Amino acid sequence: QVQLVESGGGSVQVGDSLRLSCAKSERTFFLNMAWFRQAPGKDREFVAGIRWNTGNTDFADSVKGRFTISRDNAKNTVYLQMNQLKPEDTGVYYCAASRNFVGQWTGSGMDYWGKGTLVTVSS
């Protein structure tokens, strides 16, 4: 069973940056890793993902050009660098992992989830 632990959330101002971290409990490279978020009163949505075999990354349109996702295999950690934060980026950010990438990033396609970390962006 893979366990994921997020960290790095907090309260920031518009335009600030944050880096979220997701530590995996086991050293496995065969996981497609992603970040999802859920804003208050809204459904969970995909934010960014990185595929284990190619390292290719995908982003939601709302964060393209502002967020990057990366991984450090030596540290067994995935990161989400968030720049130029906006109030609409506020929410709980979840790290997720899947053993099989089926062509798109969906919540139902993820096998493991962290408990989330809260990001609040104030204007």
Side-chain angles (χ1 to χ4, degrees):
Q1 182 75 8
V2 176
Q3 293 183 331
L4 306 173
V5 179
E6 304 96 336
S7 61
S11 297
V12 296
Q13 300 293 313
V14 169
D16 285 351
S17 297
L18 272 179
R19 188 178 76 161
L20 305 183
S21 299
C22 172
K24 296 182 288 179
S25 63
E26 62 181 56
R27 191 173 297 278
T28 174
F29 305 117
F30 308 114
L31 290 174
N32 303 289
M33 302 298 299
W35 290 92
F36 289 75
R37 69 185 180 190
Q38 187 166 21
K42 295 187 177 181
D43 293 333
R44 182 177 57 196
E45 63 176 354
F46 167 74
V47 176
I50 184 167
R51 305 176 208 181
W52 77 264
N53 54 346
T54 62
N56 288 351
T57 57
D58 300 289
F59 297 93
D61 289 342
S62 59
V63 307
K64 280 181 181 176
R66 299 188 298 122
F67 290 13
T68 57
I69 185 171
S70 60
R71 62 189 179 190
D72 186 332
N73 290 333
K75 295 184 177 181
N76 225 22
T77 300
V78 174
Y79 303 98
L80 183 68
Q81 178 67 44
M82 306 186 294
N83 300 326
Q84 302 172 44
L85 283 163
K86 305 176 181 181
E88 50 264 43
D89 295 319
T90 293
V92 178
Y93 283 70
Y94 298 92
C95 178
S98 72
R99 296 194 179 277
N100 298 295
F101 182 70
V102 295
Q104 58 181 347
W105 299 96
T106 61
S108 59
M110 310 308 288
D111 299 307
Y112 308 102
W113 290 88
K115 293 184 178 181
T117 185
L118 178 63
V119 172
T120 303
V121 184
S122 301
S123 58

